[in-house]
Amino acid sequence: MSKLMRAIRVGEFGPPSVLRLCSDVPVPQPGQRQVLIRVHACGVNPVETYIRSGMFARKPNLPYTPGTDAAGVVEAVGEGVTALKAGDRVFTTGSETGAYAEFTVAAEDCVHKLPDALDFTQGAAIGVPYFTAYRALIHKAYAKAGQTVLIHGASGGEATGGKGIDLIIEMLSNVNLSKDLQMLAYGGRVMIVGSRGPIEIDPRDTMFKESSITGVALYCATPEQKQECAAFLCAGMEAGWLRPVVGSKYPVDKASQAHHDIIKSPGAAGKIVLTM
């Protein structure tokens, strides 16, 4: 008989109330080049609310356990895994069985050792936000030292002395994109990281400045690009200058409240995490 665990399950797409804690979910087993992690904390990302609602382009098969980002301790490893062993403190950016659970399975190349200086809630806060930021800034925008960067597409061009902004990381493009294009410097770029719907823009705002709009999706990154990002972030954590900021913490049975709050409280400081 397989061991059972607690996990959030989604049996139908809909509002936060469809997130239900079940205590009879079989513990997944690691396969070839996979790692089984005992989850201590998992991150809650806005995209998970879109998937849960059924509004996301890619829909998982029902029922499913949400979440990709988790931190905990390696419970077991599958055949072929050499870089990790049972007992290692780790975080993952790519749970394959769902992170909102007591145990999760992830591919070896998506599991990274968690520095001792960080706790598990900080480890759970790394994943999608930090890897997406690196991909947007480095892989897609080719950001360089000395350039002016605006996060989220907030208003206010005065800070650049009238020169405009070189690079905007846009989290809510359906609200801000038109204004973003007007704030850009010549040759400026807008990186689309998030959007909740359509928006009308004037293409002439891109013509006169020869600016560009680029979409960013973490799942499009190659394994090599993900490893590059992981190496950079882990080096920063080891050196002490990168310390993930954790916001509200919820026990796993309050996952529906976490989903409600992440949408209703935009701009809140720190990553929302669930604890086991």
Side-chain angles (χ1 to χ4, degrees):
M1 179 180 295
S2 62
K3 294 181 179 180
L4 302 178
M5 67 175 182
R6 294 186 305 148
I8 294 295
R9 299 292 280 169
V10 176
E12 60 180 321
F13 297 114
S17 59
V18 302
L19 296 168
R20 296 177 181 170
L21 181 64
C22 299
S23 57
D24 58 352
V25 179
V27 174
Q29 297 302 307
Q32 179 88 10
R33 304 300 295 272
Q34 290 184 327
V35 178
L36 176 65
I37 302 169
R38 180 184 289 271
V39 177
H40 286 243
C42 59
V44 178
N45 296 299
V47 68
E48 289 148 23
T49 69
Y50 309 149
I51 296 171
R52 181 217 70 229
S53 69
M55 297 173 61
F56 198 62
R58 296 182 300 151
K59 297 181 179 64
N61 295 324
L62 297 170
Y64 76 97
T65 294
T68 59
D69 301 344
V73 176
V74 174
E75 182 77 7
V77 299
E79 185 179 350
V81 175
T82 58
L84 298 163
K85 65 182 185 305
D88 284 346
R89 298 173 78 253
V90 296
F91 70 94
T92 181
T93 60
S95 166
E96 297 186 5
T97 58
Y100 297 13
E102 288 184 295
F103 294 90
T104 191
V105 164
E108 179 187 23
D109 60 2
C110 292
V111 180
H112 314 283
K113 290 186 179 180
L114 182 65
D116 291 337
L118 273 60
D119 63 29
F120 291 119
T121 60
Q122 290 174 305
I126 301 168
V128 167
Y130 283 77
F131 277 68
T132 300
Y134 185 91
R135 178 162 181 77
L137 286 167
I138 307 302
H139 291 157
K140 306 301 290 185
Y142 308 107
K144 297 179 177 61
Q147 292 185 325
T148 303
V149 179
L150 175 64
I151 308 296
H152 193 70
S155 61
E158 305 90 90
T160 65
K163 296 179 180 179
I165 295 166
D166 298 306
L167 170 61
I168 296 177
I169 306 297
E170 182 51 68
M171 313 297 291
L172 195 61
S173 53
N174 59 298
V175 173
N176 301 318
L177 183 57
S178 180
K179 182 65 175 177
D180 289 343
L181 296 176
Q182 296 169 33
M183 291 191 295
L184 288 176
Y186 175 79
R189 297 92 76 204
V190 180
M191 299 291 117
I192 303 296
V193 173
S195 181
R196 297 181 188 174
I199 185 174
E200 182 176 318
I201 64 171
D202 187 342
R204 287 176 295 185
D205 289 334
T206 67
M207 293 165 54
F208 299 139
K209 297 177 182 177
E210 292 195 322
S211 58
S212 60
I213 304 168
T214 303
V216 179
L218 183 57
Y219 69 84
C220 292
T222 65
E224 293 76 18
Q225 289 173 327
K226 290 180 181 178
Q227 287 303 312
E228 173 193 326
C229 178
F232 176 83
L233 295 176
C234 288
M237 289 184 282
E238 290 284 2
W241 57 261
L242 194 160
R243 297 192 66 81
V245 178
V246 177
S248 301
K249 304 174 187 177
Y250 301 76
V252 69
D253 61 344
K254 300 296 183 183
S256 60
Q257 186 64 46
H259 269 224
H260 175 273
D261 293 350
I262 199 172
I263 295 300
K264 296 300 181 180
S265 304
K271 177 71 175 287
I272 290 180
V273 301
L274 302 177
T275 57
M276 298 300 148

